[in-house]
Amino acid sequence: MSDDNNMPPFCKEFNSFQKDEAYQRKLYFLNEKLQIMVRELPLKYQQRIPNELLCSLAESLADNTVFGIVNSLMDIQHVTEKQLFQQRLQFTANQSSAMQKLMEENIDNPEKEIQRAALETKHREELKEYDKKVILELDRKVHDQQRILDMAGVPGFDITDDPMKIQVQIRLLDFILRLSQMDIS
């Protein structure tokens, strides 16, 4: 580990030059990879990701902070999705249990069939409402992610409900994740 305070002035300048050169190489590498990734996209997305955005994105990725933020957001999203899935399984299991309970009751067949049909209809509506709540929760998570990335200064990210802008943001996140897997030194 070097201590810049104990270095002679010419060494400090050389060290600074080496750091600047490494930074420039990294920027060039990131920008080149981003341009390649954009060319792989359908034209409708390519048109919405100008070179200026790619250059700004490369600069924001150069110090690796954004990679950490995106990985943390991805981990949080996976946990949230898993929790919501488990909650939905529990919800449907409770509905199945209620149906099973009804079928075990000592009611004559025509009456039981009417109650079964009514319960199925009720369960379908409840599940539809439950799924709407899950979608709203996921939409809130998307807004949270957009807000965090916007606050972190990641180009291309702001809070939006515009489906096309969200699709572009998804592509940008994919680029960031792919670049985070590469050896960028």
Side-chain angles (χ1 to χ4, degrees):
M1 192 159 67
S2 69
D3 184 5
D4 285 350
N5 294 330
N6 295 332
M7 280 189 201
F10 68 89
C11 289
K12 288 181 188 176
E13 289 172 21
F14 182 72
N15 194 23
S16 175
F17 174 75
Q18 285 181 315
K19 287 179 185 175
D20 288 345
E21 191 178 318
Y23 178 78
Q24 289 301 320
R25 275 195 312 272
K26 189 172 189 176
L27 269 183
Y28 180 80
F29 175 84
L30 290 167
N31 201 10
E32 181 182 37
K33 292 297 181 188
L34 286 168
Q35 288 182 17
I36 291 168
M37 291 176 192
V38 166
R39 280 187 235 122
E40 297 168 352
L41 294 177
L43 191 57
K44 67 181 179 180
Y45 298 121
Q46 287 182 32
Q47 294 170 337
R48 297 184 182 277
I49 305 175
N51 278 336
E52 296 79 28
L53 175 60
L54 295 179
C55 289
S56 297
L57 185 57
E59 284 182 43
S60 74
L61 297 174
D63 75 352
N64 295 333
T65 303
V66 173
F67 293 132
I69 293 169
V70 169
N71 282 326
S72 294
L73 290 174
M74 190 173 68
D75 291 344
I76 291 167
Q77 181 172 336
H78 287 156
V79 168
T80 301
E81 288 171 356
K82 188 180 276 189
Q83 286 174 337
L84 291 171
F85 180 72
Q86 291 299 323
Q87 290 169 1
R88 189 178 192 280
L89 285 177
Q90 184 62 47
F91 187 82
T92 57
N94 291 343
Q95 286 184 328
S96 294
S97 176
M99 182 62 76
Q100 187 67 34
K101 195 174 189 179
L102 172 68
M103 299 311 287
E104 291 171 357
E105 289 181 5
N106 289 330
I107 306 173
D108 62 21
N109 260 355
E111 180 65 26
K112 189 181 279 191
E113 188 56 35
I114 291 169
Q115 288 182 358
R116 186 195 60 75
L119 190 56
E120 275 183 0
T121 301
K122 178 184 173 198
H123 283 174
R124 259 194 312 276
E125 288 303 312
E126 287 175 348
L127 190 56
K128 188 186 294 185
E129 288 302 311
Y130 186 85
D131 287 342
K132 285 179 184 178
K133 288 178 185 175
V134 167
I135 290 169
L136 288 174
E137 175 66 23
L138 292 172
D139 285 346
R140 278 193 294 276
K141 287 291 179 190
V142 167
H143 284 161
D144 289 347
Q145 292 172 344
Q146 290 171 331
R147 182 181 45 75
I148 289 167
L149 292 168
D150 182 38
M151 288 173 55
V154 182
F157 288 89
D158 56 359
I159 297 173
T160 184
D161 289 319
D162 180 334
M164 181 53 84
K165 285 184 178 180
I166 292 172
Q167 287 299 314
V168 169
Q169 290 177 345
I170 289 170
R171 280 14 180 229
L172 294 175
L173 281 172
D174 176 59
F175 295 168
I176 294 168
L177 289 171
R178 287 166 54 192
L179 287 169
S180 75
Q181 303 301 311
M182 295 179 186
D183 182 25
I184 308 170
S185 301

